[in-house]
Amino acid sequence: ISLPTSDATVVVCTESAMSKDFIAHATRPLVTYGVHDGNFTAGNILWGEKTSFDIMHHDSVLAQVEMSLLGEHNIQNIVGVAAFLFSRNLVTPEQFVKAVDTFRGIVRRLDRKSEKTTIPIFEGFGTSYEKAKSAVAAMKQHFPTRRIVIVFEPHTFSWRNRDALHWYDTVFEGATKVFVYEPASQGASTHAQSTQEEIVSRINNSGTNAIAIINEQQTLNMLDAELTENDCVLLLTSGDLGGLIESIPKLAERMFPK
């Protein structure tokens, strides 16, 4: 890496696949960070609808923050930002705490879809097995006592490819019910496309309850009968779910207003 100035700060995560090799060959001073390992880490993590943790510099607590984002990767990202800002003395602890509290995340990266309902509803960018699996894991981690209801659209070629049907054996483990939207049709002639029935059957055979959905109103009617106050909802797609990304939060706001 070519750095423009001699005092440039090199901030490195210790917890990625290439971290160990990069750190071993670095020729400049580094500031390291990670959830569990580095000059800057997270301490006293309390998972929940809002997750709180300490920003640690070695053994010292610099700030106590609270976030509405989901997943350990977001804690890691926030610790990385803290490592850069605090090592350069660019913010005060109070400024950092306020910034984290007001940050709502990146659209379609497990961002909350409504603050007006007691039902937590998040959207994940479900382009791959790994992304979907990590999104489900994040929901389980943050909402361990809630039922997880997933509304899923097999939008990318991978999800629709019959060769990837085995993904459905494990990807939704821990979910209470999965509503499966019709697979997209663009590019279907380029691969052996799975049908909606095949996908639903594969999920059901894995032990997770799945049901086919065909349009917005039908799905809303089903959810109206299905949702309880002890649920959380995960929307998984790289498409538009036939308008359900907007209408499901509105339904929840009417059913369970905050």
Side-chain angles (χ1 to χ4, degrees):
I1 297 175
S2 177
L3 298 174
T5 62
S6 60
D7 68 340
T9 300
V10 183
V11 181
V12 182
C13 180
T14 63
E15 297 167 335
S16 69
M18 296 185 292
S19 294
K20 187 175 181 180
D21 188 56
F22 179 87
I23 291 171
H25 291 86
T27 58
R28 292 204 181 195
L30 304 177
V31 175
T32 60
Y33 74 92
V35 177
H36 308 289
D37 181 47
N39 304 133
F40 291 82
T41 56
N44 301 316
I45 302 173
L46 296 176
W47 299 98
E49 189 163 342
K50 282 205 166 186
T51 296
S52 62
F53 57 97
D54 297 336
I55 300 294
M56 306 292 298
H57 183 229
H58 300 297
D59 294 327
S60 299
V61 177
L62 299 183
Q64 295 176 314
V65 299
E66 187 176 74
M67 70 174 191
S68 58
L69 308 177
L70 303 189
E72 186 171 277
H73 67 287
N74 275 311
I75 294 180
Q76 186 186 77
N77 290 341
I78 289 172
V79 173
V81 173
F84 176 77
L85 294 176
F86 285 123
S87 67
R88 303 290 289 180
N89 295 315
L90 296 175
V91 296
T92 65
E94 293 76 19
Q95 289 172 322
F96 189 81
V97 169
K98 182 177 180 180
V100 173
D101 184 57
T102 55
F103 180 58
R104 294 294 174 259
I106 301 172
V107 173
R108 313 199 85 172
R109 297 298 192 274
L110 285 178
D111 59 313
R112 188 159 187 163
K113 307 311 295 183
S114 175
E115 300 290 344
K116 299 178 182 179
T117 174
T118 58
I119 301 292
I121 303 175
F122 290 83
E123 182 187 1
F125 200 49
T127 54
S128 68
Y129 174 90
E130 291 76 15
K131 286 185 173 63
K133 185 78 171 174
S134 64
V136 176
M139 296 293 284
K140 290 164 61 178
Q141 187 172 47
H142 286 266
F143 307 108
T145 63
R146 288 182 179 266
R147 303 191 322 157
I148 301 174
V149 177
I150 298 174
V151 184
F152 168 70
E153 180 181 18
H155 191 262
T156 62
F157 285 3
S158 297
W159 284 117
R160 297 185 272 134
N161 195 324
R162 192 167 284 117
D163 290 339
L165 268 174
H166 64 279
W167 287 3
Y168 295 102
D169 295 342
T170 55
V171 69
F172 298 124
E173 287 178 339
T176 303
K177 180 170 285 189
V178 181
F179 292 88
V180 181
Y181 200 74
E182 293 185 282
S185 58
Q186 77 275 12
S189 62
T190 66
H191 59 278
Q193 172 138 324
S194 301
T195 66
Q196 186 183 33
E197 292 74 18
E198 288 174 318
I199 294 170
V200 168
S201 176
R202 191 82 183 211
I203 298 171
N204 278 317
N205 288 339
S206 77
T208 299
N209 189 0
I211 188 168
I213 52 178
I214 57 175
N215 60 48
E216 182 180 21
Q217 192 56 55
Q218 176 223 31
T219 306
L220 293 176
N221 291 342
M222 288 183 177
L223 288 173
D224 185 56
E226 174 72 27
L227 288 180
T228 74
E229 61 183 357
N230 193 43
D231 291 344
C232 57
V233 178
L234 174 62
L235 310 176
L236 275 178
T237 182
S238 57
D240 65 4
L241 264 176
L244 288 165
I245 294 171
E246 290 76 31
S247 56
I248 288 176
K250 292 178 182 177
L251 173 69
E253 289 169 6
R254 294 194 298 271
M255 294 178 65
F256 303 100
K258 182 179 284 186

